[in-house]
Amino acid sequence: ELRNALFPLGKVGRDLDHLRHAERLGAKLQDKRRLAWTSAYIARDLSLLGDPDEALGAGRDALRLADDLGDADLQMLTSAYIGQAHYALGNYRQSAEIMAEQVSAIREDIGRQHFGLPGPGAIFFRAWLIWALARLGDFAEAEAQTREMLRIAEATDQPLSLTVAHYSHGFLCVHRGDFEQAVSILERCLEFCRTWGFPAWFTNIASSLGYACARSGRLEEGMDLLQQAIDQTRSIGIMVSHANEVFWRAEAGLLAGRAEEAAALAREAVELARRFKERGNEADALCLSGEIALAAASLDVAAAEDSFRKGLALAEACGMQPTIARCRAGLEALDRAAGRPEGSAAWRSQGRGG
């Protein structure tokens, strides 16, 4: 039961220790119901700590137990944690489909059902759905879900729900390219986080706000917020999407004219994404690596093309339409910079580029 107190404080590693102890007790007592719930929360923590493959396995084990027990609430929660692991892995379409099913199943709920979460399932399931849709580039559906989520959050008037709802709105705006709007939303959201004491959410909010600031021309402020997020992530150990924070910091550095620093951070983001098996974040970091190589004073055509092509392949596998478009634009710019005839690049001959 400590889980919903420890998580908002960012103490996920400590929470996992408690859950492992609870798991041993549940097995000793042969208490299938408590063991099933404990397994679900273990899946959540493994995903947050950067082990999405193991989280997926733990989630599937928990779902089998939930099915055997016929526990509808646990089936909902466990399915959501499986969707969360898919998101971390870059399986955004699978994640969105799972979360859409959860949202549909509680369509008439206005925030009463929590399903073992620290807030209403109608908020948290929608948040995960919106994040996945934003990465896929399905902005219209994400916007519709965001409006409903904000309505429910205002009705429940719960601090954590309001924070998550506004963060998700800002996250959507960032990925849609509405950076000025994102700054306005996320500044308010960061104030919620600080006022109500949700350090586990600080890194998400601060990194998104920092990136939006950087893309809006507020470079020093943006880089400072991004660095704060990176430092706190490494302090508390919630490593999921840490590669994305470093990728954003690299892009901010490139915008600030710090090409060498940006290149090193982009390489670090690629390595982090690979270590934690986050294909979507790897795709973004590779695309940025290509852009950095393209912008270099001494153009290394082979290195830039390799980064763009690898990023494009991953983005296509993950269904990330905005990143696909960005990689293709980079490859076309590389064609021009290299003086190659239009349409001659190897990536086109392999059937990519549409």
Side-chain angles (χ1 to χ4, degrees), residues 95 203 258:
S95 181
T203 56
R258 304 177 187 178

Side-chain angles (χ1 to χ4, degrees), residues 141-161:
E141 178 60 21
E143 179 66 32
Q145 294 294 343
T146 298
R147 287 195 298 269
E148 182 64 10
M149 180 180 57
L150 289 168
R151 183 189 69 79
I152 296 169
E154 294 293 340
T156 58
D157 196 30
Q158 185 208 38
L160 183 57
S161 292

Side-chain angles (χ1 to χ4, degrees), residues 8-9 123 149-170 182-206 209 225:
L9 298 174
I123 297 290
M149 180 180 57
L150 289 168
R151 183 189 69 79
I152 296 169
E154 294 293 340
T156 58
D157 196 30
Q158 185 208 38
L160 183 57
S161 292
L162 288 165
T163 302
V164 172
H166 284 279
Y167 164 67
S168 299
H169 189 193
V183 168
S184 176
I185 293 165
L186 291 166
E187 282 181 336
R188 183 184 181 199
C189 188
L190 189 60
E191 188 60 34
F192 289 165
C193 179
R194 287 169 169 160
T195 299
W196 291 323
F198 300 135
W201 287 94
F202 173 82
T203 56
N204 301 69
I205 299 164
L209 175 57
L225 281 165

